[in-house]
């Protein structure tokens, strides 16, 4: 399997503020790859570098095997891009935008464009400046899908959209993947959407890669345990558990978020003393919140255990 | 090679996006030679031979006076700034994410904008020739040809210069403003050099004339207000004086000047492509989009200001160099000083 995206030691800073630091990441071809991270993590900067908008300070990245530093724009012939706020031509009508797409992309599919336009109900004669935000996102998606992309880059496109439009948008993306095997590189804060569609996840924090792995691997590596002790316990005792990410408690019932192999965790001496150890389902959003909290990013940080990352995550970092 | 640089889709996009600007450009460029003449013809009372704006054509050919109304210059500068500056509002990020190279983007903007300018100059020239056929006017066909060639090239030069500045400025106003600064920059630098050489190093008059000539050939407006070519202001210990008519010819070589202008246009276009290819389209909010451009312009302004202030008081070579270094560093440090004072006062306020 080849890589749809491959970044090698990418660096980017804005006026001495590091946006991306030594980022090495691979996105398998044909995957739906979710990019997550808090605000300011560097997700949009990475995407803007991949789409040729921003130049990296150091390092290189390859899209479908070709360097983003190539001066010719032909590398983007099969790359569709939908940004968070589509910046199209305000004085163009929807039809003009399609005409432009047809003239710029060699693989432009008129028929598919017509079908998608009909599905989304885009008003052909309306000027882009008069479209709502949702319609602009739909227009950008129709344009991105009409060029028959091998890679679709989405930068938080569904943020601020109503649930109906959001669902329609995701449906179109999922259909594209199912029918054509297009690689989707998807940055979003909506982790529920990602959980339903992504097969790989990478997390960025302060420009660094925290981890990059398949969704299944991720779910198997982070666990939430409810633990009840017969005798009173302190949090200090539980900090001895390797890979502890988060610890909350009410009375004698502790809720632990831990990374690592489940059996090995359960065999820790402190947990063997527990009267009950039960695994609780953890959503992607809960995993994300716990991981970010471990890195000092939370709404109200109250607990920061040391050495919270597993060996693999430390490697990735 | 050329076909890979030209992108028909982009040419179409430029036309479609800027067609109303092009119409406005056409009207403003034709305002003095065509629209004003037609107005005078139908509603004016003066005879054709007394129309000042047409007499300028004759004046230009004979080596004095401005041949182009400021409207034309402002118009092409505005067009150059709008062509790229308008896209900085957001659409440029879409455009660079499509399969076109940055050199194709700049070249398409240059070709379409230049095409409009040349078309309008052809319309203006045809109208002036027609008027010359119909009425007794103080210019002939060759005068119109010379006027058309030099004016078109100056317009193209200004347009390309603005396009180039738009590659590193973040909006229309910044690009347009900077162009006015750059147009007069060679004249300002030559002024500083000649005064310094004359005052501190007793340079020969031939050196000063050569320096002045060089500055004049680098100053775009001098191609239009040609009488300045033969006027050099000098200073000595006691007074200032003007050397007039030193080049020995009232009528500088049009074709040589045209060649200089073409070379300058090509250099500016190449610069525009190189800068645009290297620039990150970072968010706006500052006059200069790139950090390097900000540093470069800050240093240039500091040196020029330091130099100018030094000339006003330093009366020996030693003092000149000392003052130049000191004042330049002081001007360079000023913004940092202001920002530190601002930060301190903000901290004080917050406390």
């Amino acid at each position: 399997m080849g890589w749809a995206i491959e970044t090698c030691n990418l660096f980017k800073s804005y006026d001495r503020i590091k946006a991306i630091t030594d980022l090495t990441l691979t996105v398998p071809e044909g995957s739906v790859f979710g990019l997550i991270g808090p605000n300011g993590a560097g997700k949009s900067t990475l995407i803007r570098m991949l789409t040729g908008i921003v130049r990296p300070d150091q390092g290189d990245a390859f899209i479908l095997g070709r360097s983003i530093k190539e001066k010719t724009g032909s590398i983007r012939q099969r790359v569709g891009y939908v940004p968070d706020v589509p910046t199209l031509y305000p004085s163009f009508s929807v039809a003009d935008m399609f005409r432009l797409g047809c003239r710029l992309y060699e693989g432009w599919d008129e028929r598919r464009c017509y079908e998608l336009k009909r599905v989304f109900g885009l008003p052909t004669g309306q000027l882009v400046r008069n479209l709502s935000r949702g319609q602009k996102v739909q227009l950008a998606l129709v344009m991105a899908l009409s060029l028959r992309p091998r890679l679709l880059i989405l930068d938080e496109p569904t943020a601020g959209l109503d649930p109906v439009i959001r669902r329609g948008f995701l449906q179109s993306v999922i259909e594209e993947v199912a029918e054509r095997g297009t690689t989707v590189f998807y940055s979003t804060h909506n982790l529920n959407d990602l959980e339903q569609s992504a097969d790989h996840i990478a997390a960025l924090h302060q420009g660094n890669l925290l981890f990059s792995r398949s969704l299944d691997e991720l779910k198997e590596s982070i666990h939430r345990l409810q633990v009840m002790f017969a005798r009173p316990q302190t949090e200090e005792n539980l900090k001895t558990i390797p890979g502890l990410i988060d610890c909350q408690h009410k009375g004698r019932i502790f809720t632990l978020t831990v990374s690592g192999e489940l059996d090995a965790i359960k065999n820790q001496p402190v947990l063997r003393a527990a009267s009950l150890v039960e695994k609780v389902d953890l959503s992607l959003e809960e995993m994300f919140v716990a991981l970010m909290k471990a890195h000092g990013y939370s709404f109200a940080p109250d607990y920061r255990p040391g050495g919270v990352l597993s060996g693999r995550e430390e490697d990735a970092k | 090679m050329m076909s890979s640089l030209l992108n028909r889709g982009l040419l179409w996009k430029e036309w479609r996006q800027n067609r109303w600007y092009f119409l406005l450009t056409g009207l403003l460029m034709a305002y003095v030679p065509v629209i004003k003449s037609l107005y005078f013809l139908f509603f004016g009372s003066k005879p054709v031979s007394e129309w000042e704006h047409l007499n300028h054509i004759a004046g230009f050919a004979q080596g004095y006076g401005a041949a182009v109304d400021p409207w034309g210059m402002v118009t092409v500068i505005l067009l150059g700034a709008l062509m790229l500056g308008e896209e900085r509002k957001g659409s440029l990020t879409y455009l660079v994410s499509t399969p076109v190279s940055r050199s194709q983007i700049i070249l398409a903007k240059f070709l379409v904008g230049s095409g409009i300018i040349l078309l309008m100059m052809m319309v203006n020239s045809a109208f002036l020739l027609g008027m010359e056929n119909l009425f007794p006017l103080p210019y002939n066909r060759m005068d119109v040809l010379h006027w058309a060639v030099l004016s078109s090239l100056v317009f193209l030069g200004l347009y390309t210069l603005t396009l180039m500045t738009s590659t590193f400025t973040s909006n229309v106003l910044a690009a347009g403003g900077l162009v006015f600064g750059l147009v007069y920059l060679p004249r300002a630098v030559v002024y500083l050099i000649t005064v310094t050489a004359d005052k501190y190093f007793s340079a020969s008059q031939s050196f000063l004339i050569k320096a002045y000539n060089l500055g004049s050939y680098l100053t775009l407006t001098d191609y239009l207000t040609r009488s300045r070519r033969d006027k050099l202001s000098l200073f000595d210990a006691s007074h200032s004086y003007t050397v007039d008519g030193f080049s020995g010819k009232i009528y500088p070589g049009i074709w040589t000047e045209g060649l200089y202008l073409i070379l300058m246009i090509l250099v500016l276009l190449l610069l525009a492509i190189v800068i645009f290819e290297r620039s990150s389209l970072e968010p706006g909010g500052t006059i200069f989009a790139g950090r390097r451009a900000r540093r470069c312009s800050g240093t240039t302004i500091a040196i020029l200001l330091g130099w100018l202030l030094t000339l006003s008081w330093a009366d020996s070579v030693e003092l000149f160099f000392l003052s130049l270094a000191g004042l330049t560093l002081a001007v360079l440090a000023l913004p940092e000083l202001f920002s530190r004072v601002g930060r301190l006062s903000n901290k004080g306020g917050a406390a």
Side-chain angles (χ1 to χ4, degrees):
Chain A
M1 183 170 41
W3 305 120
I5 298 173
E6 192 180 357
T7 72
C8 306
N9 309 105
L10 271 185
F11 281 87
K12 180 67 194 174
S13 59
Y14 296 109
D15 281 335
R16 295 175 199 161
I17 297 166
K18 286 176 184 170
I20 291 286
T21 310
D22 197 16
L23 183 71
T24 298
L25 176 73
T26 48
V27 176
E29 223 168 315
S31 64
V32 178
F33 197 102
L35 185 65
I36 59 176
N39 292 327
K43 303 187 298 294
S44 290
T45 299
L46 172 62
I47 285 179
R48 287 162 78 86
M49 280 196 277
L50 293 174
T51 49
I53 297 164
V54 169
R55 302 288 196 212
D57 294 337
Q58 279 178 51
D60 202 354
F62 299 87
I63 286 185
L64 304 170
R66 291 173 66 181
S67 168
I68 56 166
K69 289 183 172 174
E70 274 184 28
K71 284 186 178 173
T72 158
S74 61
I75 181 180
R76 295 183 288 274
Q77 276 291 357
R78 303 295 300 275
V79 180
Y81 169 50
V82 183
D84 50 349
V85 183
T87 49
L88 306 164
Y89 288 95
S91 60
F92 278 26
S93 65
V94 171
D96 284 337
M97 285 307 302
F98 292 148
R99 262 179 230 132
L100 180 63
C102 182
R103 285 162 197 258
L104 294 181
Y105 290 94
E106 286 165 7
W108 187 263
D109 187 339
E110 286 268 23
R111 210 171 135 188
R112 184 157 167 72
C113 178
Y114 177 79
E115 281 169 14
L116 287 165
K117 183 196 78 184
R118 197 173 48 78
V119 168
F120 282 110
L122 286 169
T124 320
Q126 197 152 319
L127 293 180
V128 168
R129 73 162 67 95
N130 296 331
L131 296 177
S132 69
R133 189 182 178 284
Q135 284 176 314
K136 281 181 191 166
V137 171
Q138 287 171 340
L139 174 58
L141 181 67
V142 170
M143 292 194 67
L145 295 180
S146 299
L147 61 95
R148 289 195 170 276
R150 278 178 65 193
L151 170 64
L152 194 56
I153 298 178
L154 311 172
D155 186 6
E156 297 180 34
T158 56
L161 295 187
D162 70 58
V164 176
I165 293 179
R166 206 181 81 229
R167 183 165 286 195
F169 181 96
L170 287 173
Q171 187 63 36
S172 306
V173 173
I174 289 166
E175 276 172 20
E176 175 73 18
V177 176
E179 287 172 19
R180 298 171 215 280
T182 305
T183 309
V184 179
F185 189 65
Y186 187 8
S187 156
T188 182
H189 287 301
N190 193 327
L191 303 189
N192 291 331
D193 287 351
L194 214 53
E195 199 166 9
Q196 287 165 25
S197 53
D199 44 36
H200 282 74
I201 303 278
L204 288 183
H205 182 50
Q206 294 178 341
N208 292 295
L209 181 68
L210 292 187
F211 62 81
S212 171
R213 59 181 66 164
S214 75
L215 190 60
D216 293 339
E217 278 177 346
L218 185 66
K219 284 190 167 177
E220 279 168 21
S221 67
I222 298 178
H223 317 278
R224 179 160 286 175
L225 302 174
Q226 273 201 333
V227 185
M228 195 164 77
F229 293 96
R231 291 177 185 172
Q233 279 284 348
T234 61
E235 281 187 15
E236 288 302 314
N237 287 345
L238 294 169
K239 278 185 188 174
T240 56
I241 301 170
L244 181 71
I245 294 173
D246 190 28
C247 175
Q248 308 278 334
H249 73 99
K250 276 185 184 172
R252 281 184 294 158
I253 299 175
F254 285 75
T255 307
L256 310 176
T257 310
V258 198
S259 75
E261 202 186 325
L262 188 60
D263 290 337
I265 294 164
K266 281 182 176 174
N267 278 329
Q268 290 298 312
V270 67
L271 290 183
R272 271 188 292 184
S275 56
L276 175 77
V277 178
E278 194 176 76
K279 193 184 172 206
V280 181
D281 280 341
L282 195 59
S283 70
L284 184 60
E285 188 164 315
E286 286 168 323
M287 280 183 206
F288 175 72
V289 171
L291 274 171
M292 286 301 119
K293 193 174 173 185
H295 282 83
Y297 181 81
S298 67
F299 185 63
D302 54 355
Y303 182 69
R304 291 184 191 183
V308 290
L309 291 179
S310 68
R312 262 184 90 160
E313 287 152 358
E314 290 286 10
D315 289 344
K317 198 177 175 189
Chain B
M1 172 71 182
M2 202 58 197
S3 63
S4 68
L5 281 174
L6 280 179
N7 185 304
R8 285 186 183 180
L10 280 178
L11 295 177
W12 175 84
K13 189 224 59 137
E14 293 302 336
W15 167 252
R16 185 81 193 160
Q17 186 193 2
N18 300 302
R19 58 197 190 280
W20 299 113
Y21 291 143
F22 294 149
L23 182 67
L24 186 69
T25 303
L27 286 173
L28 287 172
M29 283 186 71
Y31 173 70
V32 173
V34 180
I35 299 172
K36 207 168 172 180
S37 299
L38 287 174
Y39 179 81
F40 282 9
L41 199 63
F42 292 111
F43 305 107
S45 53
K46 282 184 186 174
V48 176
S49 58
E50 288 179 25
W51 294 354
E52 274 183 27
H53 64 283
L54 288 190
N55 282 331
H56 280 158
I57 308 294
F60 173 76
Q62 287 155 27
Y64 63 87
V68 178
D69 199 85
W71 274 112
M73 288 173 60
V74 172
T75 304
V76 293
I77 289 173
L78 196 64
L79 181 68
L82 282 168
M83 290 285 278
L84 194 57
E86 269 291 284
E87 297 232 34
R88 286 244 181 223
K89 286 181 184 170
S91 52
L92 199 54
T93 54
Y94 166 74
L95 193 58
V96 298
S97 69
T98 62
V100 294
S101 68
R102 295 198 180 191
S103 47
Q104 284 177 326
I105 294 173
I106 290 291
L107 211 61
K109 287 183 184 296
F110 172 77
L111 286 176
V112 176
S114 303
I116 296 298
I117 291 168
L118 289 177
L119 181 73
M120 285 321 297
M121 285 308 290
M122 282 163 73
V123 170
N124 286 342
S125 307
F127 181 83
L128 290 173
L129 286 174
M131 290 290 285
E132 192 259 341
N133 270 333
L134 293 171
F135 303 102
L137 284 164
Y139 61 79
N140 58 35
R141 288 175 188 183
M142 278 309 282
D143 294 338
V144 173
L145 179 68
H146 290 162
W147 173 81
V149 168
L150 275 194
S151 300
S152 302
L153 289 173
V154 169
F155 282 155
L156 287 184
L158 285 170
Y159 175 72
T160 322
L161 180 65
T162 320
L163 204 57
M164 191 272 286
T165 57
S166 299
T167 58
F168 57 87
T169 49
S170 57
N171 58 51
V172 173
L173 201 65
L178 186 64
V179 166
F180 281 104
L182 285 177
V183 162
Y184 293 103
L185 184 68
R187 174 169 293 286
V189 172
V190 164
Y191 170 80
L192 291 171
I193 289 173
T194 51
V195 172
T196 307
D198 195 22
K199 191 173 175 182
Y200 301 106
F201 302 98
S202 307
S204 68
Q205 204 176 67
S206 70
F207 168 80
L208 299 176
I209 287 170
K210 273 179 193 163
Y212 184 85
N213 267 338
L214 182 68
S216 184
Y217 276 103
L218 291 172
T219 306
L220 268 168
T221 48
D222 276 16
Y223 288 83
L224 301 174
T225 55
R226 315 178 81 210
S227 52
R228 287 201 180 176
R229 282 273 158 77
D230 270 2
K231 277 188 178 24
L232 168 61
S233 294
L234 294 174
F235 302 85
D236 64 18
S238 56
H239 69 295
S240 66
Y241 59 99
T242 303
V243 182
D244 210 351
F246 54 79
S247 69
K249 52 181 180 178
I250 293 170
Y251 201 104
I254 294 261
W255 305 114
T256 315
E257 289 186 37
L259 192 67
Y260 292 159
L261 284 170
I262 289 170
L263 282 175
M264 186 200 70
I265 291 164
L266 291 176
V267 169
L268 287 173
L269 180 62
L270 200 67
L271 262 177
I273 290 172
V274 169
I275 295 171
F276 192 57
E277 272 183 347
R278 290 179 180 197
S279 75
S280 266
L281 304 178
E282 285 155 14
T286 52
I287 295 173
F288 296 105
R291 202 193 315 166
R292 201 177 292 171
R294 283 203 289 278
R295 265 192 216 147
C296 196
S297 58
T299 311
T300 309
I301 290 169
I303 292 172
L304 289 179
L305 268 175
W307 200 344
L308 196 66
L309 290 170
T310 296
L311 285 179
S312 66
W313 74 276
D315 50 12
S316 69
V317 181
E318 293 80 13
L319 266 179
F320 169 78
F321 284 116
L322 224 88
S323 165
L324 179 61
L327 285 170
T328 303
L329 286 174
V331 177
L332 268 175
L334 271 180
E336 180 65 23
L337 195 71
F338 278 127
S339 74
R340 286 195 179 197
V341 169
R343 278 203 294 265
L344 274 177
S345 62
N346 279 346
K347 271 185 191 172

